Amino acid sequence: MIYLQLIFVFIKVGLLGFGGGMAIISLIQGEVLSRGWMTETEFVDIVGISQVTPGPIGINCATYVGYTVGGIWGSLLASMAIILPSLVIMLSVCYAYDKIKDKYQDNRVFQTCMRIIRILVVILVAHAAITLVTPTTFIDWKSWTIFGFVFVAMLLPEIPNLKSKIIHLLGNPILLILAAGVAGYLLYFF
């Protein structure tokens, strides 16, 4: 019975937990405390442990809550239940896109929609980055230089007339993260 409750609770959290990370902790807390699965002190300890372990805090928290309530099987079920809604939604969107992309590839409305989605993604990432621009994180010209390089490199692949392998390589998110890390290390430690 506890396993079904864990599945139900964490599917609900995964489905309703918009914002990810710290935004869903209060949702998990409400579910866990209302069911009496643990005390508030125990839950705060679990959140602390979830923050220092690698991986997303929501999944880590679900894993620890599941383990506390239902042992190994509880942790596995809670972890899988919290990611299941996102997985199903993303697979559905990918499947739908795969089915319609060939049929509508030459359609101007479809192309415009895809271009708008790409632009919106860049705007959302830029907004997230700009909210992190504070006097404590951007302390000098070096910080601004790294930020500017990454921002421009993200935008280059979206410019219609700049279609080259080098431009797309520069816009690769993983390479940008690595390059920014190396640049930060070189600029601040040498």
Side-chain angles (χ1 to χ4, degrees):
M1 185 63 178
I2 193 69
Y3 296 134
L4 289 175
Q5 289 178 347
L6 279 169
I7 291 169
F8 171 74
V9 163
F10 285 105
I11 282 179
K12 184 167 89 172
V13 168
L15 189 61
L16 302 176
F18 290 96
M22 293 303 290
I24 66 171
I25 294 300
S26 62
L27 186 58
I28 295 172
Q29 181 182 20
E31 293 290 336
V32 168
L33 296 180
S34 69
R35 287 174 168 66
W37 287 347
M38 58 185 59
T39 67
E40 192 165 346
T41 305
E42 290 171 325
F43 185 77
V44 169
D45 291 342
I46 283 178
V47 171
I49 292 169
S50 297
Q51 286 179 320
V52 298
T53 53
I57 189 170
I59 295 171
N60 290 348
C61 196
T63 303
Y64 290 122
V65 168
Y67 184 78
T68 303
V69 175
I72 295 286
W73 286 108
S75 68
L76 288 171
L77 291 171
S79 300
M80 291 192 323
I82 199 167
I83 66 168
L84 185 64
S86 299
L87 180 66
V88 169
I89 291 168
M90 281 309 302
L91 287 176
S92 300
V93 168
C94 290
Y95 178 78
Y97 175 76
D98 188 51
K99 289 298 180 189
I100 67 170
K101 72 175 174 158
D102 293 334
K103 182 177 180 183
Y104 296 105
Q105 193 68 31
D106 297 327
N107 185 307
R108 289 182 58 180
V109 173
F110 180 77
Q111 290 175 350
T112 302
C113 287
M114 291 296 107
R115 191 171 297 119
I116 289 170
I117 289 172
R118 284 192 297 272
I119 291 168
L120 289 175
V121 167
V122 170
I123 290 170
L124 288 172
V125 170
H127 178 268
I130 289 169
T131 59
L132 295 175
V133 176
T134 64
T136 57
T137 57
F138 282 76
I139 53 178
D140 57 14
W141 67 271
K142 298 171 187 177
S143 303
W144 286 103
T145 303
I146 295 169
F147 176 77
F149 169 75
V150 170
F151 187 73
V152 169
M154 273 181 40
L155 294 176
L156 287 177
E158 298 306 318
I159 298 173
N161 296 332
L162 293 177
K163 299 293 183 195
S164 76
K165 290 183 180 182
I166 294 173
I167 296 297
H168 281 282
L169 187 64
L170 282 174
N172 183 309
I174 294 171
L175 292 178
L176 282 175
I177 291 169
L178 292 173
V182 169
Y185 179 77
L186 293 175
L187 287 172
Y188 285 103
F189 293 108
F190 288 107

